[in-house]
Each structure stands twice: as C-alpha cells, then as structure tokens.
Amino acid sequence: MRYWAAAKAAAGTAEEPYEAATLADALDAARQRHSERPEFARVLRRCSFLVDGTPVGTRSHETVTLAEGGTVEVLPPFAGG
C-alpha cells in the first residue's frame, strides 16, 4: 500500500505491506494499524484509490479484489494544477 501527500503524512510512512482479499479489508486493517493517528482515518475518507494502476472510482470497496503482490495507491485530493 503506497500513501501519497496528506495520506503519507497521516500514516507516518510512504508505504507498507498488506494482506487482504479486498480493498475494504486492506483499508480496515490500515485504520486499525494507525489507530493512534486519528487524522489517518479522516484522510482516508477523502482519498481515491488505484489498485494495480486501475482507478477504483465509485465501486464498493468490498467488491474490489486484491491480487497477491499487488499495489494499492492511496491518493488524497490534490490542489493546484
């Protein structure tokens, strides 16, 4: 799992491994892992996600399956242009 910008700051790390079958499971585990950092959960609510380079968009996170060895990109809203 790779964190960018505000997500990286809130997590206190740029990336970390995950073991999960779905995006929802991976995000729940990340929230638990960073439970001492309340800003992390707030940032995640505003983020968009890429799974192996494909945007998740409006799909339910429970329906987004993760492949072993895959990559989840956690992208907070970006300002500027």
Side-chain angles (χ1 to χ4, degrees):
M1 192 170 272
R2 293 184 189 149
Y3 301 110
W4 297 95
K8 178 179 172 181
T13 187
E15 65 181 70
E16 60 191 358
Y18 66 85
E19 290 186 28
T22 68
L23 179 58
D25 293 338
L27 295 175
D28 286 344
R31 281 186 202 93
Q32 290 176 9
R33 193 168 33 256
H34 299 289
S35 62
E36 76 288 352
R37 302 176 82 106
E39 181 63 16
F40 181 75
R42 285 191 290 272
V43 168
L44 277 187
R45 284 193 296 270
R46 298 186 314 265
C47 287
S48 58
F49 305 94
L50 298 176
V51 173
D52 296 329
T54 302
V56 171
T58 60
R59 289 183 287 160
S60 170
H61 296 168
E62 290 82 9
T63 65
V64 178
T65 58
L66 303 178
E68 186 174 333
T71 302
V72 175
E73 306 276 351
V74 181
L75 307 167
F78 291 94

